[in-house]
């Protein structure tokens, strides 16, 4: 790490204390940002941390905007800032509230389940919310024959294969471009090279990659698995920020990325300098708010998800994204 970076980190840590700021960083952030965060985790873990932000006077959320929106919903009395307001998840952009309404007209009796990777406005049109790890349980809990699901078609396929429910994609094109970079040949190649490695794939990966992996789970589940397993080598099919974090925290283990080019450009829009700018200037443009009418419904559907979330026996899945 160069001196400029250390200098920025020191300034942030000092000002963070003065401002009583809680800094939350997603697992896909750079290591420099993870190092100055109060908490690093997946989207749901961070949402829960924001709900426990008593005593803080501001939250700086280093993740994409839909995640910061969840913090704004769960912690309405503390201002939530995002270091770069342009950090939008392209997967979330595949479906909006109008697309959900249109699909509902085609299937008026089917409940709608959306992945947390959606805007607050889209969430208001849905009956239920799920994370990558709770999707199977949430869908099963409804007892419905048909469920409308979006925006991630790979996660939808994961649910289709682990339930007896007819899953209708709200938009079958919906994919995370980062996880969609992985393909089966990459995994076969690495498994040949590292036969003892445990391969863990995120449920946003193409289904053939998920099925060839030893485990499927969220970034939070990957963190726990690497920490708790006796295995020494892991092949990780998710964004590079998590790969770097795992290798840094487990120098005695070998963490192999399925593909080194799997970098989320939107997550990487945040920088130490932008975090410092927020702390120094509290720019209004970086404040994250949600339309007031959306908050009660989002709280209600999150509550339902928390109630049904469990561990399915068929796949090793967990909460978060
Ligand atoms: S990794 Fe994929 S799902 Fe996550 S923020 Fe980036 S584009 Fe969105």
């Amino acid at each position: 790490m160069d001196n400029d970076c250390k200098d920025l980190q020191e300034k942030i840590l000092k000002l963070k204390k003065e401002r009583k700021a809680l800094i939350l960083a997603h697992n896909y952030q750079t290591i420099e940002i993870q190092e100055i965060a109060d908490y690093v985790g997946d989207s749901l873990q961070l949402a829960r941390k924001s709900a426990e932000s008593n005593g803080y006077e501001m939250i700086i959320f280093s993740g994409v905007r839909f995640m910061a929106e969840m913090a704004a919903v769960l912690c309405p009395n503390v201002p939530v800032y995002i270091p770069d307001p342009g950090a939008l998840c392209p997967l979330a952009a595949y479906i909006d509230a109008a697309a959900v309404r249109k699909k509902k007209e085609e299937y008026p009796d089917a409940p709608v389940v959306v992945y947390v990777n959606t805007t607050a406005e889209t969430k208001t049109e849905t009956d239920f919310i799920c994370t990558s790890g709770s999707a199977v349980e949430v869908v099963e809990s409804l007892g419905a024959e048909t469920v409308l699901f979006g925006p991630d078609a790979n996660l939808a396929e994961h649910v289709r294969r682990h339930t007896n429910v007819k899953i209708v994609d709200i938009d079958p094109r919906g994919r995370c471009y980062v996880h969609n970079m992985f393909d089966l040949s990459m995994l076969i190649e690495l498994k040949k090279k590292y036969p003892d490695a445990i391969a863990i794939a995120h449920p946003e990966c193409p289904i053939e990659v998920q099925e060839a992996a030893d485990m499927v789970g969220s970034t939070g589940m990957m963190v726990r698995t690497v920490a708790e397993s006796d295995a020494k080598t892991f092949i990780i099919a998710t964004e590079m920020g998590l790969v770097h974090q795992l290798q840094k925290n487990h120098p005695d283990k070998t963490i192999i990325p399925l593909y080194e080019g799997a970098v989320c450009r939107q997550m990487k829009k945040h920088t130490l300098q932008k975090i410092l700018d927020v702390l120094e200037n509290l720019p209004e443009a970086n404040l994250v708010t949600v339309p007031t009418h959306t908050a009660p419904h989002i709280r209600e559907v999150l509550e339902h998800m928390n109630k049904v979330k469990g561990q399915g026996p068929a796949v090793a899945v967990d909460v978060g994204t």
Side-chain angles (χ1 to χ4, degrees), residues 8-308:
L8 279 171
Q9 285 184 322
E10 276 165 25
K11 283 184 183 157
I12 290 171
L13 292 174
K14 186 169 172 280
L15 202 48
K16 179 168 92 78
K17 241 189 214 164
E18 288 170 28
R19 291 275 196 207
K20 293 193 182 158
L22 174 68
I23 301 185
L24 302 175
H26 189 267
N27 287 320
Y28 297 161
Q29 292 301 294
T30 59
I31 289 294
E32 303 89 77
I33 290 180
Q34 294 188 26
E35 281 173 353
I36 51 93
D38 294 286
Y39 194 80
V40 179
D42 63 30
S43 61
L44 195 64
Q45 289 168 332
L46 297 181
R48 286 182 176 147
K49 280 287 156 192
S50 63
E52 298 164 6
S53 56
N54 278 348
Y56 289 97
E57 289 182 3
M58 65 186 287
I59 295 174
I60 299 184
F61 204 116
S62 281
V64 282
R65 195 174 189 93
F66 79 83
M67 298 176 181
E69 286 183 344
M70 298 236 290
V73 165
L74 294 171
C75 191
N77 301 322
V78 178
V80 177
Y81 290 87
I82 190 162
D84 186 320
L88 305 173
C89 168
L91 172 61
Y94 273 100
I95 58 170
D96 58 12
V100 176
R101 282 196 295 271
K102 192 159 178 279
K103 208 68 179 176
K104 272 179 171 174
E105 282 169 18
E106 280 176 57
Y107 295 86
D109 298 327
V112 180
V113 178
V114 297
Y115 190 23
V116 282
N117 297 41
T118 40
T119 64
E121 199 64 57
T122 305
K123 285 184 178 86
T124 57
E125 286 296 328
T126 71
D127 302 307
F128 302 96
I129 292 177
C130 70
T131 58
S132 59
S134 62
V136 168
E137 289 92 340
V138 169
V139 167
E140 274 181 337
S141 76
L142 308 180
E145 277 178 23
T146 304
V147 165
L148 309 184
F149 194 94
D152 191 86
N154 289 337
L155 179 61
E157 187 57 28
H158 172 83
V159 177
R160 208 169 273 128
R161 298 209 182 187
H162 293 96
T163 65
N164 292 319
V165 180
K166 179 179 173 191
I167 303 294
V168 176
D169 291 304
I170 297 169
D171 185 336
R173 297 168 301 175
R175 301 277 189 299
C176 160
Y177 75 96
V178 180
H179 290 90
N180 221 42
M181 289 178 191
F182 301 124
D183 74 35
L184 184 57
S185 63
M186 295 170 179
L187 186 50
I188 293 172
E189 196 62 27
L190 283 180
K191 276 190 145 188
K192 259 193 231 152
K193 207 165 161 193
Y194 303 96
D196 297 331
I198 294 184
I200 318 178
H202 193 280
E204 289 168 18
C205 293
I207 198 71
E208 56 282 7
V209 173
Q210 295 185 39
E211 299 214 318
D214 300 297
M215 302 171 88
V216 178
S218 69
T219 57
M221 173 269 195
M222 291 177 186
V223 168
R224 279 193 297 281
T225 303
V226 172
E228 289 165 10
S229 166
D230 292 333
K232 289 286 175 209
T233 311
F234 297 86
I235 299 166
I236 298 293
T238 194
E239 209 268 352
M240 286 300 290
L242 184 73
V243 173
H244 293 143
Q245 178 198 122
L246 291 173
Q247 192 60 81
K248 178 170 181 272
N249 292 342
H250 301 283
D252 55 322
K253 299 188 179 186
T254 306
I255 310 297
I256 301 153
L258 184 54
Y259 173 51
E260 285 186 5
V263 173
C264 177
R265 293 189 297 276
Q266 287 70 25
M267 284 279 186
K268 300 299 197 267
K269 283 188 172 185
H270 303 312
T271 61
L272 290 173
Q273 184 61 57
K274 288 176 187 173
I275 292 174
L276 185 61
D277 288 347
V278 168
L279 282 166
E280 282 176 342
N281 306 314
L282 309 180
E284 220 165 287
N286 297 54
L287 251 183
V288 177
T289 54
V290 293
T292 30
H293 70 278
T294 64
H297 183 71
I298 296 173
R299 271 194 224 108
E300 198 183 305
V301 286
L302 274 172
E303 185 66 20
H304 176 87
M305 182 184 75
N306 286 338
K307 274 191 201 142
V308 300

